[in-house]
Structure formats: C-alpha cells, structure tokens
Amino acid sequence: MLLSAAALQALRGRLIVSAQAYPGEPMRHPQTMAQVAASAVIGGAGAVRVQGIADIQFTRSVVEVPVIGLFKDGHEGVFITPTIHHALAVANAGAHIVALDGTRRERPDGKSLEQTISAVHERSAALVMADCGSLDDALAAAQAGADLIGTTLAGYTGERDKTEGPDLELLEQIAAAGLEPPLIAEGRIHTPAQAKAALDAGAFAVVVGTAITHPASITGWFDAALRG
C-alpha cells in the first residue's frame, strides 16, 4: 500500500480525478463510483480521489493508480476526514493517500493536525494530503508533517473570498513559499484551460471533480446556458 517516492513524483503535471456523488443521488453507490474512477483512469487520470470506506475499497480493486481517500462526516466546519479515527479508517481501507481537513480549525476529537498526521504515519503506510483554505493553513500543514498540500478548502473557511474558478492567487502564494510538500490544486476547476492555469500558477498536480464526474452539475450548466 506504500506509495513510493517515484510514484508520487510521477504525478507531477498530471490530472487527478475526484469521483464523488452526494447522498441521495442515483450514482451514490460505491461500485458505481469505482467504475467512474476507472473510466477516468482510461481517460488519462494519474490518480483518483474518492470518498467513503466502501468507495475506497471498490476503487482499489479496479484501478492501479494511486487512490486518495477521504471520509466526509457532516457538512459544516471540519468534516473532511475530521478525526484520527476517520483518518485511520481511510488508510486501513486501502487509500495510498489520506486526504483530511488541513486547516487550523479545531478538530472534533480535540487532536491537533500534527497529532492526526503523526497517527496516520505511525499506524499505516499511507501518506497524508492536507486540504487547506489559505496560505497560513498550508504553512501550518507543512510544519505538521503533511506529505501533500491541497487548496481544496479555499473559499470555504472564511479566510478567503470564494473565487468563481480556481483560486490562482492562493496557488501562487503557496508556490512562492517554497514548501517541501507537493502543491495540489483543487476546487472549482471546470475547464481544461483552468486546469492548465492552475498548473502554471505553481501546482504540482491538479484535481478535477465536478466537471468530469458529476453529471447533475454538468447537465445543469448546459441547461442554464440554453435557458439563458
């Protein structure tokens, strides 16, 4: 399950596809999400990101690329793999990389980000991706031992305004800080041009989710355009 340094470096400049469906949607089924992830790999995804223990397990069985796993618990505050318990469950399900809330906000179990990351490193072979919302988050996450830094929560924590597309300014700020962990662009990347812009802004790799794997949203964009 250990992701080698070479395998991680092989993701430089690559597309990572997030395959997730919301509760209550027709596609909200672990096997379906695994099939979507596998389809993304056929299209060229260098890695995939999936949510939920069963989704991680099914996806690991059908793809040979790195799997970034997370566990959403709730809808507000710290809810992306919020505790050590959640993080270890994700790692034990087979995720090569555990994605978790990497902000400076208080975690539900009262543990620090550093304690959470240390627990994953000590009790599993998984790496940790810290989903951050600001430059200060990224700096703190790197200090806490995160293996990757993501801009997933930019515009959702109150520290930065929510940009219409990817927060390129934040990407440039984090890239300029020269942190050791690879910088992963994620959040509101809806076109190939925006993905390339994120890479040009300093991202190591780019995550795209909704624009590739969420039919309801994509259909809505076309429907809204036709309705004027």
Side-chain angles (χ1 to χ4, degrees):
M1 197 186 307
L2 179 65
L3 186 66
S4 68
L8 180 59
Q9 284 302 312
L11 292 178
R12 181 181 295 275
R14 298 293 303 279
L15 172 67
I16 300 169
V17 172
S18 178
Q20 300 182 45
Y22 300 106
E25 292 183 335
M27 292 177 65
R28 180 54 263 170
H29 188 282
Q31 189 170 8
T32 300
M33 287 295 96
Q35 291 170 330
V36 170
S39 296
V41 172
I42 292 174
V48 294
R49 176 170 161 130
V50 294
Q51 190 281 134
I53 301 304
D55 295 57
I56 295 167
Q57 293 170 331
F58 272 103
T59 301
R60 271 301 306 269
S61 71
V62 298
V63 305
E64 296 184 358
V65 300
V67 173
I68 302 172
L70 61 142
F71 188 146
K72 289 183 178 178
D73 192 352
H75 303 282
E76 297 181 353
V78 177
F79 67 91
I80 299 176
T81 321
T83 70
I84 290 177
H85 172 76
H86 291 95
L88 293 176
V90 168
N92 291 333
H96 298 94
I97 300 170
V98 176
L100 47 74
D101 186 297
T103 68
R104 305 179 327 279
R105 298 176 294 183
E106 183 176 354
R107 305 179 71 82
D109 59 1
K111 303 297 184 181
S112 67
L113 178 60
E114 182 175 9
Q115 288 175 310
T116 305
I117 294 173
S118 293
V120 174
H121 287 163
E122 292 169 2
R123 304 183 202 177
S124 78
L127 301 181
V128 174
M129 175 177 171
D131 291 348
C132 298
S134 67
L135 174 60
D136 286 340
D137 282 345
L139 295 173
Q143 182 66 32
D147 301 291
L148 301 94
I149 301 293
T151 57
T152 317
L153 293 173
Y156 298 105
T157 65
E159 286 195 83
R160 297 184 63 80
D161 292 334
K162 183 179 178 181
T163 54
E164 185 173 343
D167 193 333
L168 299 178
E169 181 182 57
L170 177 58
L171 284 167
E172 291 171 350
Q173 289 176 354
I174 299 175
L179 302 178
E180 183 176 349
L183 172 59
I184 310 299
E186 182 171 9
R188 301 182 299 280
I189 301 173
H190 293 160
T191 68
Q194 289 178 334
K196 182 59 167 59
L199 207 62
D200 292 341
F204 175 86
V206 177
V207 175
V208 177
T210 299
I212 294 177
T213 63
H214 198 249
S217 294
I218 300 168
T219 302
W221 299 340
F222 281 89
D223 180 58
L226 294 180
R227 292 175 184 271

